[in-house]
Amino acid sequence: MENTVFSLLPPVVAIVLAIATRRVLLSLGLGILTAAVLLAEFQFVKTIQIILETIKNVFVSGGGLNTWNVYILLFLFVLGIITAFITISGGSRAFGEWAMKRVKTRAGAQLVTGILGLLIFIDDYFNALAVGQVSRPITDRKKVSRAKLAYLIDSTSAPICVLSPVSSWGAYIISILGAIIASHQIEGMSAISMFVQMIPMNFYAIAAIIFVFMVISKNINYGPMKKHEERAATTGVLLDPLKAAPGELKEDLPVSSKGKVGDLVWPIVVLFAGTITAMFITGYSAS
């Protein structure tokens, strides 16, 4: 089944199921199972062995700890903790109150979301977590649908991280370019200079960001998002009342009433400084 058209089946299964069921983990799991079945040539025992071996390789590689994957998992775990602490400290609430005194329109609430999406460029996952947590009270107050909020966050988080050399994705791409330069013995060009020269050619990321601000300024809504926006603007209902909100927290975190805007800003500043410093240190030690 390898190197044939059937190799397209796992991603197709995952994508189709994600669209049909809106259950991402189930869809990805079935996509993984489909890939394992194809690799095992429909043998049940071999399919289980392939899945278990793959899971083991996430944590163990070459007889030792797979630090690359483990550090990524720990990094994501820490990002989730920071986001929760920002909420508990009252930083998100304080920023929301500060912004709501200054944001007067629906377009303004969306613009705040778009700008924050560009400013928090260190990691796309943290971008989505932080911007969503901070922007939601503002967009909710101005009757912006959650579907529109999700679009604004998704179309700024990953694109800006891919374009930035000092981001998790930028560092990863630069490491790949470094390996290419070494293997092909390219002279007169460094990995980071190659990355910077590639930025204007990253058409999708640039177009996605530009289109976000076009959508905000022209109030463009299309597809299902248009239906959600019309309902939110006319009735104030931000979510489809017939469907559960995916990813909605079952229990609200305790929020301090003494929070300040600095409780939001300083943890993010420290995260930026620490991450960028670590990138330079690891890059220098590997050179």
Side-chain angles (χ1 to χ4, degrees):
M1 295 293 180
E2 297 180 57
N3 301 319
T4 69
V5 71
F6 291 104
S7 61
L8 297 175
L9 191 57
V12 169
V13 168
I15 293 170
V16 170
L17 285 175
I19 295 172
T21 65
R22 292 182 171 82
R23 299 178 65 180
V24 177
L25 294 179
L26 173 64
S27 304
L28 289 174
L30 291 175
I32 292 170
L33 179 61
T34 302
V37 168
L38 293 176
L39 287 172
E41 298 179 345
F42 300 95
Q43 298 178 39
F44 177 77
V45 175
K46 191 175 180 181
T47 298
I48 301 300
Q49 290 175 341
I50 289 173
I51 292 175
L52 293 177
E53 183 67 20
T54 303
I55 294 173
K56 188 191 79 170
N57 289 338
V58 172
F59 301 97
V60 179
S61 178
L65 186 67
N66 190 334
T67 54
W68 176 268
N69 289 339
V70 171
Y71 287 163
I72 289 175
L73 292 174
L74 288 175
F75 182 65
L76 297 177
F77 184 66
V78 170
L79 293 182
I81 293 174
I82 293 173
T83 306
F85 277 145
I86 289 173
T87 301
I88 294 170
S89 68
S92 297
R93 178 195 57 76
F95 179 84
E97 292 176 353
W98 177 85
M100 280 187 280
K101 293 177 182 177
R102 293 159 175 80
V103 176
K104 306 299 182 182
T105 63
R106 296 179 78 248
Q110 296 173 55
L111 186 61
V112 169
T113 304
I115 292 173
L116 287 175
L118 297 184
L119 292 177
I120 304 178
F121 54 80
I122 206 71
D123 181 80
D124 53 338
Y125 296 123
F126 181 69
N127 183 307
L129 287 169
V131 175
Q133 194 71 22
V134 171
S135 299
R136 187 170 60 181
I138 307 169
T139 54
D140 283 359
R141 181 71 65 89
K142 297 303 177 183
K143 297 181 180 180
V144 177
S145 68
R146 294 288 180 82
K148 186 69 169 287
L149 175 61
Y151 161 73
L152 297 175
I153 293 172
D154 184 68
S155 294
T156 52
S157 58
I160 193 62
C161 290
V162 169
L163 293 174
S164 171
V166 285
S167 70
S168 55
W169 272 110
Y172 177 66
I173 295 170
I174 289 170
S175 69
I176 294 175
L177 294 175
I180 294 173
I181 290 173
S183 62
H184 291 276
Q185 298 180 346
I186 300 173
E187 298 181 356
M189 181 177 292
S190 65
I192 191 167
S193 65
M194 184 180 290
F195 177 88
V196 171
Q197 291 180 49
M198 288 169 54
I199 290 175
M201 294 181 283
N202 202 327
F203 301 123
Y204 168 76
I206 295 171
I209 293 172
I210 292 173
F211 200 63
V212 161
F213 291 96
M214 287 178 58
V215 164
I216 294 171
S217 62
K218 303 296 184 182
N219 193 30
I220 300 172
N221 300 297
Y222 51 89
M225 186 167 68
K226 183 177 182 180
K227 179 181 68 175
H228 284 272
E229 276 292 275
E230 290 175 349
R231 181 179 60 241
T234 55
T235 68
V237 179
L238 307 178
L239 291 161
D240 190 337
L242 302 178
K243 296 178 181 177
E248 192 78 3
L249 294 176
K250 301 301 180 183
E251 297 181 6
D252 292 333
L253 293 171
V255 179
S256 172
S257 60
K258 300 179 181 179
K260 300 177 181 178
V261 175
D263 295 324
L264 167 72
V265 174
W266 289 115
I268 295 177
V269 170
V270 172
L271 174 67
F272 272 49
T275 304
I276 293 172
T277 301
M279 286 179 180
F280 279 108
I281 292 173
T282 53
Y284 179 79
S285 62
S287 61

